[in-house]
Amino acid sequence: MKHTLRGAAYVLSGAALGAPLLVALVTGLALGLAASLVVVGIPLLALLALAGVPVAALERRRARLVRPGPLASPHRVPEAPGLAAWLRLRVREQATWRELAYAVLMACVLWPLDLAVAACTLGLPLALAAAPAHLALAGGPGGGGVRPAKLWFVASYPAACGTALLGLALLAALAYPLGAYATARAAVARLLLAPREAETEARLAEVTRSRARLVAAFEAERRRVERDLHDGAQQRLVALSMGLGLARLDAEPGSPLAVRLAAAHQEADRALAELRELIRGIHPRVLADYGLAAAVEDAADRSPVPVDTDADLPRLPEPVESAAYFAVREALANVARHSGAARAEVHARHTGGALRLRVRDDGRGGADPARGTGLTGLADRIAVLDGTLTVTSPPGGPTVLSLEIPCDPMPPAPAA
């Protein structure tokens, strides 16, 4: 029943939309051709070529009446803002012209077909079912009778009721053909308006490029924050610590003022140490200056669990080095917090056109990346670079984190 109602709504709405569309297309074409004599009509005809875009958008929504679920748009997002960029992109897309052809097909063929099907499967049975009401409005049996749907003459209420029963039976019998037609009609719309394989691949490539731009912007913002903290807040804390140290020299030893100055000096030193650790975590200077191999050595030196490193790497693209470094940092942090390991090792090489890095520990195992270890976000970040991150951790260990990111080494810096 629900499917039948959806099919009826789809067919009726198609019949209702087709007539205004035909009038709009014919009027626009006539005005454009008439005004083209004075050049004004050329832009109008160009805009008429885009008439299929809103029609197709509406048809993709209407198709959900028959088969729920989104129908993806084949159009790409313009790289630049503004109407001009949008128009240039739409004119170059094949989907725009397919949608225009569909709008013409709907205006000339599909909506009359929808109207005919609606009239046969809904209009005729409902007209027969309304025979008693029609007869009553005509004055009853003494009013001369009626001819429901222009088929046969009905002059009494028993005949009218029999006609109504026939109409209801016909309505039930035609429900399945109506649903089948609506399904076929929606399938035609999906076939003509759905994105082609090449368009889907182009959209996926655009999404990948967009994600890569977001990662690059994130890394640039990370570096800016690190630079501002290093050159701004850290220098002020250094100056504050030096000022407090000089003030302690001027204070009388053992006095309340000297005690307060000593406590403030210690707090300033602790704040400075914490800020330096924060700056190192945001974007370590060693990574930017010396590359991933040196940054891995630095992370291993600061790990509470002893770490053996074997990293022989050239300089790699900055997003690759950054993603791999923070994966190593997260893995070593998990080793220290959760694994109970006595030792860990990091192995990294660039072979076969890809960075291959492995972090292994001899802990208890049983690690699950889905339980909030922080590796899920890193896996998404590495996926933007077309890389993969896998974790194997059977109960009893060992736990091995492996990542692979396709990349080419950076060219050597020119000699000074």
Side-chain angles (χ1 to χ4, degrees):
M1 181 64 180
K2 184 178 179 180
H3 180 71
T4 301
L5 293 177
R6 285 178 171 272
Y10 182 76
V11 173
L12 290 173
S13 60
L17 292 172
L21 175 61
L22 177 61
V23 173
L25 290 179
V26 172
T27 303
L29 182 61
L31 291 176
L33 292 176
S36 62
L37 299 176
V38 290
V39 186
V40 179
I42 296 178
L44 183 59
L45 291 175
L47 290 176
L48 188 63
L50 300 174
V53 175
V55 173
L58 181 59
E59 285 296 288
R60 280 189 284 269
R61 289 183 175 274
R62 283 204 320 118
R64 300 180 188 179
L65 289 172
V66 178
R67 192 174 73 181
L71 182 60
S73 171
H75 295 293
R76 293 183 290 123
V77 178
E79 296 181 357
L83 179 60
W86 185 87
L87 290 174
R88 285 195 299 269
L89 178 61
R90 292 295 173 265
V91 169
R92 292 198 301 265
E93 289 179 321
Q94 292 183 358
T96 301
W97 304 104
R98 288 203 313 272
E99 291 172 347
L100 177 61
Y102 178 85
V104 174
L105 179 66
M106 181 177 178
C108 299
V109 177
L110 295 180
W111 83 266
L113 190 59
D114 290 344
L115 184 60
V117 170
C120 293
T121 59
L122 295 173
L124 176 62
L126 291 176
L128 295 177
H134 191 187
L135 180 61
L137 291 175
V146 294
R147 192 179 293 274
K150 306 299 182 183
L151 294 179
W152 55 76
F153 188 76
V154 175
S156 64
Y157 280 117
C161 291
T163 302
L165 291 176
L166 177 61
L168 293 176
L170 191 60
L171 183 65
L174 293 177
Y176 180 79
L178 174 62
Y181 170 79
T183 301
R185 170 76 167 76
V188 171
R190 287 178 175 271
L191 179 64
L192 295 178
L193 301 179
R196 300 296 186 262
E197 182 178 355
E199 293 166 344
T200 302
E201 292 176 354
R203 287 176 63 85
L204 289 176
E206 181 181 353
V207 170
T208 302
R209 289 194 298 269
S210 176
R211 292 175 63 187
R213 288 194 297 268
L214 287 175
V215 170
F218 174 76
E219 289 298 328
E221 185 65 15
R222 184 195 290 271
R223 291 193 300 273
R224 185 192 67 78
V225 171
E226 183 270 338
R227 184 174 59 252
D228 290 347
L229 290 175
H230 184 275
D231 298 339
Q234 180 177 257
Q235 300 305 319
R236 291 188 178 90
L237 279 176
V238 169
L240 174 62
S241 180
M242 293 177 60
L244 289 172
L246 293 175
R248 290 179 63 186
L249 296 176
D250 295 336
E252 182 178 349
S255 65
L257 177 60
V259 173
R260 294 190 182 93
L261 286 174
H265 195 191
Q266 291 174 359
E267 285 296 325
D269 287 343
R270 280 195 290 267
L272 183 59
E274 291 177 0
L275 182 61
R276 284 171 175 162
E277 187 64 24
L278 176 62
I279 293 173
R280 187 181 293 113
I282 291 175
H283 193 81
R285 181 72 62 176
V286 64
L287 178 64
D289 293 344
Y290 300 105
L292 180 59
V296 168
E297 293 279 356
D298 180 68
D301 291 340
R302 291 186 286 109
S303 172
V305 177
V307 180
D308 299 322
T309 60
D310 180 17
D312 184 10
L313 296 168
R315 290 305 303 265
L316 301 172
E318 188 173 329
V320 174
E321 289 189 337
S322 180
Y325 170 76
F326 285 106
V328 171
R329 281 279 305 272
E330 184 67 30
L332 294 180
N334 289 335
V335 170
R337 294 172 189 161
H338 310 295
S339 71
R343 200 161 197 88
E345 63 181 43
V346 180
H347 177 86
R349 288 290 187 275
H350 182 272
T351 58
L355 166 66
R356 292 177 170 84
L357 188 146
R358 184 182 72 249
V359 181
R360 185 182 186 276
D361 69 70
D362 58 2
R364 67 178 67 94
D368 183 4
R371 293 186 304 190
T373 59
L375 294 177
T376 302
L378 287 171
D380 293 339
R381 183 174 174 182
I382 291 171
V384 173
L385 304 170
D386 291 333
T388 57
L389 184 145
T390 58
V391 178
T392 58
S393 183
T399 298
V400 179
L401 178 145
S402 304
L403 69 84
E404 180 177 329
I405 305 176
C407 61
D408 294 321
M410 296 291 290

